[in-house]
Amino acid sequence: MRFSMGFGVVLIAAASPALSETSVYTGFLETHGCTYGPTLDAEIRAAGLTPEGLASHARTAVQAGTAEQNGDWVVFDASVCTIKLPEITSTYEITDDVLASHITSVSDPAYEAGCYLTDWQQAFEATGHDADAAFAEGVEFLAAEITAGRMSFYSDDLLRTPFGFQTVVPEGCDQGARAEAIKASSGDLAELFDTYVRMSYAANTCGDGQSGDMAFAKTVKDRTDNAWMFMDAMMLTLAAGWHEGMTAQDKGMPRPPLCHIAP
């Protein structure tokens, strides 16, 4: 098991929150999976908060029954925290020259017509990154584009596998109504992301290496036209760092809130 077991002690010993308004903690937690754990301290400080204050907030929620202590992690209930899209930024844009040669126009009837980003890891390796760094850079880029509504692993039929991540940005790539559908899918993802993550938490045991839930697509099929939304959601969780030890060959080991640690 990759999880250290010191967090319970941190919670017990934590001081009272420095801020009386718990909404500032909730705002932070919403974009971090409504989950607090020991690896987030640097991000907490960067947000202008204190780990001690958030630890005390988490302890209070566990005592009140609105959060669950799961190993070193505290996962807040949907009644007090809605999981929002993680805040992902990238130094690259789809229009950058480094990506231009990796955009493929597809007209094969076996796939949906449109422009797709292919061999994206190679594109980032060409900038001087090694394989692992290029993969991480690419995942961050894809997540940022998905969040912005400019890219998606999109199809309205679960039995029709997309050619890849489709982009709606380049000129000369007329995709008509599909472009609007992909943009709309981004809004659907924001609305359904909490459902995806919480279903993953319930379905998977940490250590098994699994995330997501095969039932997700069926659960949300009447709420989105994108039958493959779970792929976009997974990309965001990779970029957010919710998989520990991610490399170019291995997506890493999921941690809460994507899985629960068995007692």
Side-chain angles (χ1 to χ4, degrees):
M1 186 65 67
R2 297 189 179 192
F3 306 98
S4 63
M5 299 308 294
F7 185 50
V9 176
V10 173
L11 283 182
I12 294 171
S16 297
L19 300 172
S20 60
E21 284 291 332
T22 59
S23 61
V24 294
Y25 299 123
T26 301
F28 174 86
L29 290 164
E30 285 176 336
T31 56
H32 290 79
C34 291
T35 299
Y36 172 50
T39 64
L40 295 181
D41 285 359
E43 293 179 63
I44 292 166
R45 292 189 179 96
L49 305 174
T50 66
E52 295 80 10
L54 192 42
S56 182
H57 177 59
R59 179 186 60 196
T60 299
V62 170
Q63 292 171 344
T66 56
E68 177 180 77
Q69 180 87 47
N70 192 233
D72 283 357
W73 302 86
V74 171
V75 180
F76 287 75
D77 190 78
S79 65
V80 295
C81 186
T82 299
I83 301 172
K84 297 183 178 180
L85 301 183
E87 297 174 346
I88 308 296
T89 59
S90 173
T91 56
Y92 295 90
E93 296 182 356
I94 190 63
T95 53
D96 288 346
D97 291 342
V98 68
L99 294 165
S101 63
H102 295 270
I103 298 174
T104 301
S105 181
V106 174
S107 57
D108 187 330
Y111 301 100
E112 301 287 357
C115 288
Y116 294 83
L117 182 65
T118 60
D119 299 325
W120 49 267
Q121 183 174 334
Q122 293 180 16
F124 291 105
E125 286 181 4
T127 66
H129 292 302
D130 63 26
D132 290 345
F135 184 77
E137 192 79 61
V139 164
E140 186 176 75
F141 164 76
L142 288 170
E145 291 291 306
I146 290 166
T147 302
R150 295 189 293 261
M151 184 174 288
S152 178
F153 199 81
Y154 182 93
S155 175
D156 58 9
D157 185 351
L158 194 58
L159 299 179
R160 191 178 179 91
T161 305
F163 184 81
F165 284 94
Q166 186 170 358
T167 176
V168 298
V169 172
E171 295 180 3
C173 191
D174 184 11
Q175 294 162 98
R178 268 183 82 72
E180 295 305 315
I182 287 175
K183 293 175 185 177
S185 177
S186 176
D188 294 340
L189 178 60
E191 181 180 342
L192 298 170
F193 191 64
D194 182 276
T195 300
Y196 171 84
V197 176
R198 294 192 186 278
M199 287 184 70
S200 182
Y201 179 76
N204 300 298
T205 302
C206 297
D208 290 345
Q210 301 298 316
S211 63
D213 187 343
M214 290 300 294
F216 174 75
K218 182 177 180 180
T219 299
V220 303
K221 66 182 180 64
D222 294 329
R223 300 174 63 186
T224 179
D225 290 331
N226 188 4
W228 289 81
M229 178 177 288
F230 59 90
M231 287 293 292
D232 287 354
M234 184 185 72
M235 196 59 61
L236 265 62
T237 67
L238 287 168
W242 300 355
H243 300 246
E244 297 183 341
M246 182 181 73
T247 69
Q249 289 75 38
D250 186 349
K251 70 177 182 179
M253 188 68 68
R255 54 88 165 167
L258 294 178
C259 56
H260 60 272
I261 300 171

